[in-house]
């Protein structure tokens, strides 16, 4: 079975999804001769105008509820319309995992973009953080529509980067002018220092950066405070040292840590002990990860008091 490219557009009502998809389908460059299934998962104030499409053979189907988002139904629609390409306007109140679980085997995500109305975004983030996180965590681009000169870009930038450093960020002003976000994201610690000192408040950023750029940390020495986990999954002489991290909201708090070779520097370590470690980072196989990963070899290990905030965040 041939792969079917899926173009997934995310965001809340009135965020600009319909307008963008309409303009995309009006672009002659999108006319490749492929039969296109336009899957609409919510109806906003703006309606599609099919007669303006430059793309031919577009079948528009509206899903009335999340119960229609099933693999069987999507596969049936694919077969019914002989779809070779799928464009999805996704419902902002449905979690993205619902769509992934319902995707037929032949569907492959080609592009994912998320749209927000700049006027309401910060309010949505304050009150519906989980849904904002859900729509940003895996996207390739975040577009802030109806942006105004008096808005502070850094506020919007920090929210996105607190979720993911993957997507490009675009500010589209009223009138059509668009600007790419060029705000640099220096880490809150010096990665080139002889010893990388990670403050308690910065552990979440450090953990994510090592996970995403492990190779860049090989051979470097780090110092941080963490909570120990003594587990049978670790080889003898090893512990896990990390923190509880909240990425999105309280519901997703999870313990994340590094495999640490204690080098016999401290005896009697128990789970939930707070320790300060100074260690060198390497990439090795370790049974904690069940694969290769960042393994810390302790040069100094000492007991410590718990931090003021037991849960690390990106804020």
């Amino acid at each position: 079975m041939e792969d079917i490219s899926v173009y997934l557009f995310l965001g809340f009502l009135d965020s600009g999804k319909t307008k963008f998809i309409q303009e995309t389908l009006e672009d002659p460059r999108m006319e490749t001769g492929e039969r296109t299934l336009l899957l609409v998962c919510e109806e906003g104030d703006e309606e599609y105008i099919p007669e303006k499409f430059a793309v031919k053979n577009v079948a528009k189907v509206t899903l009335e509820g999340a119960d229609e988002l099933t693999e069987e139904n999507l596969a049936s629609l694919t077969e019914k319309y002989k779809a070779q390409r799928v464009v999805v306007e996704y419902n902002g109140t449905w979690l993205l995992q619902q769509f992934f679980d319902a995707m037929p085997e032949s569907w492959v995500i080609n592009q994912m973009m998320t749209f927000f109305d700049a006027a309401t975004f910060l309010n949505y983030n304050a009150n519906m953080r989980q849904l904002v996180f859900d729509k940003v965590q895996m996207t390739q681009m975040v577009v802030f529509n109806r942006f105004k000169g008096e808005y502070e870009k850094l506020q919007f930038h920090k929210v996105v980067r607190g979720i993911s450093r993957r997507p490009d960020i675009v500010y589209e002003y009223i009138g059509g002018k668009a600007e790419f976000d060029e705000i640099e994201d220096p880490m809150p610690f010096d990665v080139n220092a002889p010893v990388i000192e990670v403050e308690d408040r910065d552990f979440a950023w450090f953990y994510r950066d090592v996970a995403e750029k492990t190779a860049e940390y090989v051979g470097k020495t780090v110092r941080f405070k963490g909570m120990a986990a003594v587990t049978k999954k670790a080889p003898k002489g090893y512990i896990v040292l990390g923190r509880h991290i909240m990425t999105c909201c309280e519901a997703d708090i999870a313990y994340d840590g590094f495999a640490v070779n204690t080098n016999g520097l401290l005896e009697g370590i128990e789970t939930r002990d707070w320790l300060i470690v100074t260690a060198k980072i390497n990439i090795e196989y370790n049974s904690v990860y069940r694969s290769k990963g960042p393994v810390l070899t302790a040069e100094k290990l000492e007991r410590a008091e718990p931090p003021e905030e037991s849960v690390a965040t990106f804020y």
Side-chain angles (χ1 to χ4, degrees), residues 146-189:
R146 307 179 186 99
F147 205 79
K148 296 181 180 179
E150 63 264 30
Y151 294 161
E152 186 180 351
K153 290 180 181 177
L154 189 59
Q155 285 185 290
F156 296 79
H157 173 95
K158 282 184 174 180
V159 173
V160 175
R161 289 293 175 253
I163 298 171
S164 173
R165 288 187 294 164
R166 175 187 303 174
D168 291 324
I169 303 173
V170 177
Y171 306 100
E172 185 165 320
Y173 292 84
I174 296 173
K177 177 186 174 184
E179 290 180 351
F180 275 87
D181 183 291
E182 296 181 351
I183 299 173
E184 293 186 8
D185 287 296
M187 287 293 106
F189 43 82

Side-chain angles (χ1 to χ4, degrees), residues 5 19 50 107 143 149 166-167 172 179 234 262 307:
S5 293
K19 180 175 181 291
W107 286 24
V143 179
R166 175 187 303 174
E172 185 165 320
E179 290 180 351
T262 66

